[in-house]
Amino acid sequence: MKLFRNTALILFLLIGQFGKAQQGGTQIRGSVYSSDNEPAMFSTIMLLDQDSVLIGGALTKEDGSFIIEKVAPGNYSIQVKNMGFHTYTSKKLSIASNENLSLDKITLIPSTTQLDEAVVTARKAMVEIRADKIVYNVASSPNASGNNGMELIGKAPGIIVDMDKNIILQGKSGVQIYINGRPTRLSGNDLTNFLESLRSENIESMEIITNPSSKYDAEGTAGVINIVLKKNTSLGFNGNATGSFSQGTFSRSSVGTSLNYSGEKINLFTSLSVSDNNWQTDFDETTYQSGFLLDKNSKSENNSKAINFSGGLDYTINPEQSVSIDGRVLVNKRDNVLRSTTGVFDTTDLVNGEILRAAALDKMPSENYILNANYRNAFSETSNLSADLSFGKYSSKKNTLQPNDYVNAVDGVILRTLNKEYDANTQIDLWSTKVDYEKKLKKITLSSGAKYSYITTGNQLAFYNVENGLPIFDNTRSNDFNYLEKVAAVYFILNVNPTDKLMINAGLRMENTSSLGLLESKIQTDNNRVSRNYLDFFPNLGISFDDKKNNALSISYGRRITRPNYQDLNPFESRSSELSAWKGNPFLKPNYIDNYQISYSFKRKLVISNTYSVTHDFFATIFEISQEKGNVLIPRNMQKSTNNGLSVSYPLRIIKWWDLSSFFNYNFETYKGDLNGTKIDLKASTYNLRLQNNLQLPKAVTMELTYYLNSPWIWRGSVNVEGFSGLSIGVKKEFLDKKLLVQLTGNDILNTSSDYHYKSNYGGMIVDGVISFDNRRAGISATYKFGNQKAKARKKSKSGIDDELKRISE
């Protein structure tokens, strides 16, 4: 019956074109968009007379535009229908003779009404290029299976993950990670551990946003990556079971399941996954410093066993109001074994020297708990309010055994032994609350909101000297470091649409940050207490033009901040051996960036963007000489870093079964500063190219073939790294009436992107090395769906941040 009704409606529209509309020469033009500012293609447009009689109509094109020709003078209204949206009816339209009428942009409101037996079968593109962001649809990628969250981020267009697991977006560091529209609040190693525990089987998509508006937290100089976890909204009860396995030098595996129930007003969802991952990080490094040659070789084997549970409830109170509660629990048990040998030679005598045989044996269990609550009230089609409350707790423990044996380089006789042990524990407690309000007038939208976040971190270090096999507490090298940070923010945004083609957005965010770092130790220093209190203003301005046909142009400016990781503020030295250490810097200041961007889009396919940014007090991690033979890595503020970038993306259908998406980024970078006597002055032209081929093969087999090329680049703001290239492949096919999905993957199949060669020469140190990872892998995964998989069109309960993810281009 539904098919008959839809067919009859379309036929009626076609017949209507030759009815009363034929009597005049007036033309009505307009465009229809969804609430996330995407063209609502193939919407049904009906022209009704004053008695609500259908006179004519049209279907919107792929760009959302429509034209109704030859309309006679009179009074009419426009009605717009599209599956999954409320029906839109315009105000009365008075048409004069031979008058061409252009309507304001029509925005459809998502419907909460259940559609009878509506089954969604459309396949999402692997990568979607939008005006405000790039969406990497992980669920559509045959090559994503078996990867963790950090690896998937490295596969996304325009992103590089460096050897320290720092995320670099379009040549800039300082990316903020969000989960389902909410900030993770983790940083440094804690964020790395969390992302590596996420599995591709639980991730729907990744949204890459380079220039967020003032409604967003100002944190994150490079932008935001929002990871959207899978959430089934099919009718009734349903679920899936999934498993994956991959093999490189080491193996990785995971199993999991998700269960969902969706009714008229309620949606319950939960997922559970267990993973067992193994990987390596190997170093070969030669260093010249203070007349000594240090030849280091280290190999590490890492294991992570993680349990990831999430669940929640969405409840629609009425068509205007909804509430949602969701939570996440992550328990991770991680063990690292690092073994190294370092030859130490006087450059005047390269035969007689000594060799340090060292190890760092780590046990690092961690737990992460997050609870979020959201309330949303859409008072009318022109105003809405949302409120969020979030609580989080993170804890980790680290026990490290660190034996050190010095042996004679000639005969291997042990010269001396220094064994150490330490316990490093971390606790993070946070809560935040926010409220957002939006009011739409005829051509103006006003938005405002406020947010308050409170974060405390505690770090305890207990250091032991091991003598005769027994640990002896050393209070001179032990400490407690506690850090408190409070951020209060308020923002205002004015969005103006002078015409249906021009949009102007101006916003201002004000943030007051209060922080206090306290170091308690036996040894008193000048930096036992570091407090800060500062008020910052973050303006954002954007102007965009869209002719609703082929061309779209936007120009924007924004200012943002990146605050130091709390680990970087702890002045404790963390050693991997007697000669190598990492040390925090309690005087590390936040850095600020000014971002300028201009973007052009042709037919919503070709997208060209030029960005220019200036970062003040850039975070650089540099080597410093320690006691002639040793070195320490320490973060310091570099006076200035600049980045001038060009990005080009274009999806191309070569033939019916072959789609090619190409992404190219070019950046000219400069790093300059005097870092506590260490002078850095580096310039580099960098580029990266990604060609993603999606092939629809016979027997309903889908293949993805991806080639990527990265030029030489700068690591840590001070080290030159050689370029690399690679090739990955993925194949997937569905069986058993599309209930069973099987995927095969091959990453770095040519073994050309597992080794990273680097060099540096500053501060009296010359370093030449290579880091090797376990990137060459083959994998298989399977997912079986059960229950009712018929999709339901319903409005998702969401936070104010979720709304902003759809409005960034404003």
Side-chain angles (χ1 to χ4, degrees):
M1 289 296 296
K2 177 163 287 190
L3 176 62
F4 173 78
R5 290 198 303 269
N6 290 341
T7 303
L9 177 60
I10 293 174
L11 289 175
F12 192 35
L13 286 174
L14 295 176
I15 293 171
Q17 298 288 346
F18 298 94
K20 185 176 178 181
Q22 292 284 337
Q23 299 175 11
T26 294
Q27 185 183 83
I28 300 177
R29 291 177 175 269
S31 59
V32 183
Y33 282 74
S34 64
S35 59
D36 58 359
N37 207 33
E38 291 297 311
M41 61 182 68
F42 310 126
S43 297
T44 302
I45 311 298
M46 293 181 288
L47 179 65
L48 307 177
D49 67 10
Q50 57 187 358
D51 297 320
S52 298
V53 175
L54 179 65
I55 301 303
L59 294 176
T60 58
K61 301 178 182 179
E62 291 187 358
D63 62 356
S65 66
F66 67 87
I67 302 176
I68 302 177
E69 304 276 4
K70 299 181 180 179
V71 181
N75 296 322
Y76 300 94
S77 63
I78 291 289
Q79 194 171 87
V80 183
K81 292 180 177 291
N82 196 324
M83 184 176 70
F85 296 91
H86 286 294
T87 298
Y88 169 86
T89 303
S90 72
K91 298 179 180 178
K92 184 178 72 173
L93 305 175
S94 296
I95 310 296
S97 179
N98 296 319
E99 177 187 11
N100 290 326
L101 183 62
S102 294
L103 304 178
D104 292 336
K105 182 176 73 173
I106 297 171
T107 301
L108 299 181
I109 305 300
S111 172
T112 60
T113 303
Q114 178 175 324
L115 300 179
D116 298 334
E117 302 300 315
V119 180
V120 177
T121 59
R123 178 178 59 87
K124 289 185 179 180
M126 186 169 52
V127 177
E128 299 177 57
I129 307 297
R130 302 183 185 177
D132 55 348
K133 59 193 171 188
I134 295 176
V135 180
Y136 173 33
N137 289 308
V138 174
S140 299
S141 173
N143 192 34
S145 174
N147 290 270
N148 64 46
M150 182 65 80
E151 291 169 328
L152 288 174
I153 288 176
K155 290 176 178 288
I159 296 177
I160 294 176
V161 177
D162 72 11
M163 291 86 79
D164 292 325
K165 305 298 178 68
N166 294 315
I167 300 168
I168 301 172
L169 173 58
Q170 291 188 351
K172 292 172 287 189
S173 58
V175 176
Q176 285 298 299
I177 302 297
Y178 282 63
I179 302 294
N180 288 340
R182 297 182 176 94
T184 59
R185 298 297 182 192
L186 297 177
S187 58
N189 292 332
D190 300 323
L191 177 61
T192 297
N193 294 340
F194 171 72
L195 290 174
E196 289 180 339
S197 68
L198 291 179
R199 307 303 303 166
S200 61
E201 290 77 15
N202 302 120
I203 298 175
E204 179 68 28
S205 64
M206 293 185 178
E207 299 173 330
I208 304 163
I209 307 163
T210 57
N211 203 10
S213 75
S214 298
K215 191 174 180 181
Y216 246 106
D217 287 356
E219 182 79 16
T221 50
V224 167
I225 298 175
N226 181 46
I227 299 175
V228 181
L229 302 180
K230 288 183 178 179
K231 182 177 175 183
N232 199 323
T233 57
S234 297
L235 293 166
F237 173 77
N238 62 83
N240 65 64
T242 184
S244 67
F245 176 83
S246 70
Q247 183 68 51
T249 304
F250 300 96
S251 64
R252 303 177 190 173
S253 61
S254 70
V255 293
T257 185
S258 66
L259 303 173
N260 306 274
Y261 174 78
S262 185
E264 180 65 27
K265 286 181 170 291
I266 194 170
N267 182 41
L268 296 168
F269 53 94
T270 183
S271 66
L272 174 67
S273 66
V274 180
S275 61
D276 187 350
N277 297 329
N278 301 275
W279 70 97
Q280 71 183 55
T281 306
D282 298 341
F283 278 84
D284 280 304
E285 182 179 280
T286 301
T287 303
Y288 293 90
Q289 64 181 62
S290 306
F292 290 93
L293 167 65
L294 284 73
D295 188 10
K296 178 181 180 181
N297 175 271
S298 70
K299 295 184 179 297
S300 71
E301 297 180 12
N302 311 278
N303 173 261
S304 172
K305 293 181 173 66
I307 300 175
N308 198 334
F309 172 83
S310 64
L313 163 70
D314 294 338
Y315 180 72
T316 302
I317 303 172
N318 53 47
E320 290 77 34
Q321 299 181 79
S322 63
V323 294
S324 66
I325 299 175
D326 64 88
R328 186 173 66 246
V329 177
L330 172 62
V331 179
N332 190 11
K333 180 183 178 183
R334 181 167 173 172
D335 297 327
N336 296 342
V337 177
L338 170 66
R339 302 185 187 278
S340 65
T341 59
T342 304
V344 183
F345 303 93
D346 191 312
T347 54
T348 61
D349 182 6
L350 297 179
V351 176
N352 296 304
E354 57 186 22
I355 297 175
L356 171 62
R357 294 175 180 168
L361 312 177
D362 298 324
K363 293 186 179 296
M364 298 185 297
S366 63
E367 298 177 358
N368 187 11
Y369 304 92
I370 296 291
L371 179 64
N372 303 298
N374 169 269
Y375 169 77
R376 179 174 173 81
N377 191 331
F379 302 106
S380 65
E381 293 185 0
T382 61
S383 64
N384 64 79
L385 178 143
S386 66
D388 285 89
L389 184 63
S390 299
F391 299 91
K393 186 177 184 63
Y394 174 86
S395 64
S396 67
K397 298 180 179 180
K398 181 180 181 182
N399 173 258
T400 300
L401 300 177
Q402 191 186 93
N404 296 272
D405 290 329
Y406 285 90
V407 302
N408 190 292
V410 177
D411 54 21
V413 175
I414 295 180
L415 302 176
R416 59 191 180 279
T417 296
L418 298 171
N419 294 334
K420 313 291 181 182
E421 181 178 351
Y422 62 86
D423 297 322
N425 301 326
T426 297
Q427 304 86 36
I428 306 174
D429 293 290
L430 65 94
W431 70 270
S432 67
T433 182
K434 68 189 294 289
V435 61
D436 300 291
Y437 177 76
E438 182 178 80
K439 176 66 176 179
K440 296 181 180 179
L441 305 175
K442 186 174 182 181
K443 292 183 179 294
I444 297 176
T445 299
L446 301 173
S447 303
S448 64
K451 182 175 182 179
Y452 182 78
S453 60
Y454 185 96
I455 304 172
T456 62
T457 70
N459 306 268
Q460 300 86 39
L461 174 75
F463 194 92
Y464 302 88
N465 296 304
V466 180
E467 299 177 5
N468 300 319
L470 298 175
I472 307 300
F473 182 70
D474 186 348
N475 61 5
T476 65
R477 302 182 69 177
S478 303
N479 67 43
D480 289 344
F481 180 74
N482 297 299
Y483 181 71
L484 168 66
E485 183 176 274
K486 296 177 285 186
V487 180
V490 62
Y491 74 87
F492 303 92
I493 298 176
L494 175 65
N495 189 42
V496 183
N497 295 85
T499 70
D500 65 332
K501 298 179 180 179
L502 183 65
M503 180 184 296
I504 302 173
N505 175 274
L508 177 65
R509 187 178 186 91
M510 294 170 283
E511 291 190 354
N512 178 258
T513 304
S514 174
S515 65
L516 175 64
L518 291 175
L519 176 68
E520 298 179 10
S521 63
K522 180 72 173 180
I523 305 300
Q524 296 297 313
T525 63
D526 294 335
N527 50 22
N528 284 353
R529 177 187 175 96
V530 178
S531 62
R532 291 194 176 96
N533 192 309
Y534 48 94
L535 175 66
D536 287 315
F537 296 87
F538 300 96
N540 190 285
L541 177 65
I543 302 174
S544 61
F545 173 82
D546 189 343
D547 66 6
K548 309 301 181 183
K549 294 180 180 178
N550 297 325
N551 305 291
L553 178 69
S554 65
I555 302 173
S556 63
Y557 162 78
R559 184 173 186 258
R560 297 181 67 78
I561 185 176
T562 294
R563 299 175 180 89
N565 298 335
Y566 70 89
Q567 301 101 320
D568 291 346
L569 297 170
N570 188 346
F572 167 70
E573 287 190 2
S574 175
R575 291 192 169 273
S576 58
S577 74
E578 280 295 300
L579 296 177
S580 300
W582 181 94
K583 183 178 181 180
N585 178 6
F587 296 106
L588 202 61
K589 298 182 292 185
N591 66 43
Y592 297 86
I593 190 170
D594 291 289
N595 276 317
Y596 305 85
Q597 180 170 318
I598 179 169
S599 298
Y600 170 75
S601 173
F602 180 69
K603 290 188 175 181
R604 300 188 179 274
K605 291 186 176 181
L606 174 65
V607 179
I608 303 174
S609 296
N610 179 234
T611 61
Y612 178 73
S613 64
V614 180
T615 304
H616 300 278
D617 290 321
F618 175 80
F619 299 149
T621 305
I622 64 171
F623 291 106
E624 292 185 358
I625 296 174
S626 173
Q627 298 179 350
E628 290 189 333
K629 301 176 184 179
N631 60 71
V632 176
L633 273 173
I634 186 168
R636 293 196 182 279
N637 288 114
M638 181 180 291
Q639 277 89 338
K640 184 178 179 181
S641 171
T642 67
N643 184 296
N644 193 346
L646 175 70
S647 65
V648 181
S649 58
Y650 186 71
L652 174 65
R653 170 152 289 184
I654 298 178
I655 51 181
K656 183 178 180 180
W657 49 270
W658 182 3
D659 291 324
L660 171 64
S661 297
S662 56
F663 309 89
F664 176 78
N665 289 283
Y666 169 83
N667 294 280
F668 177 73
E669 306 166 354
T670 68
Y671 301 87
K672 188 172 184 178
D674 187 339
L675 290 75
N676 198 35
T678 299
K679 294 185 178 180
I680 303 291
D681 189 0
L682 295 176
K683 298 179 181 179
S685 293
T686 66
Y687 59 86
N688 61 79
L689 171 69
R690 182 179 293 269
L691 301 175
Q692 296 186 200
N693 299 271
N694 194 278
L695 311 174
Q696 301 299 315
L697 304 180
K699 305 293 184 181
V701 174
T702 300
M703 174 185 288
E704 176 191 327
L705 190 65
T706 302
Y707 172 77
Y708 46 91
L709 171 67
N710 284 6
S711 72
W713 47 291
I714 296 178
W715 174 37
R716 295 174 174 168
S718 58
V719 180
N720 292 289
V721 182
E722 294 183 6
F724 62 90
S725 62
L727 187 67
S728 297
I729 190 171
V731 179
K732 70 177 181 180
K733 179 175 172 56
E734 293 178 313
F735 301 90
L736 304 178
D737 194 26
K738 297 187 177 182
K739 291 184 177 180
L740 176 64
L741 172 65
V742 178
Q743 300 181 83
L744 303 176
T745 60
N747 289 311
D748 189 22
I749 58 179
L750 302 179
N751 200 28
T752 54
S753 61
S754 293
D755 298 332
Y756 296 79
H757 298 265
Y758 59 92
K759 293 182 179 180
S760 67
N761 184 356
Y762 64 85
M765 298 177 60
I766 301 174
V767 180
D768 189 345
V770 59
I771 305 179
S772 300
F773 298 97
D774 189 15
N775 291 342
R776 190 184 194 186
R777 313 187 61 79
I780 183 172
S781 72
T783 301
Y784 181 77
K785 302 176 183 178
F786 52 85
N788 189 359
Q789 297 294 325
K790 294 177 180 179
K792 169 185 176 182
R794 66 187 304 278
K795 188 176 181 180
K796 184 181 97 173
S797 291
K798 54 188 178 178
S799 69
I801 294 180
D802 289 324
D803 289 332
E804 181 55 16
L805 295 174
K806 300 177 180 180
R807 299 181 62 250
I808 301 302
S809 62
E810 302 175 4

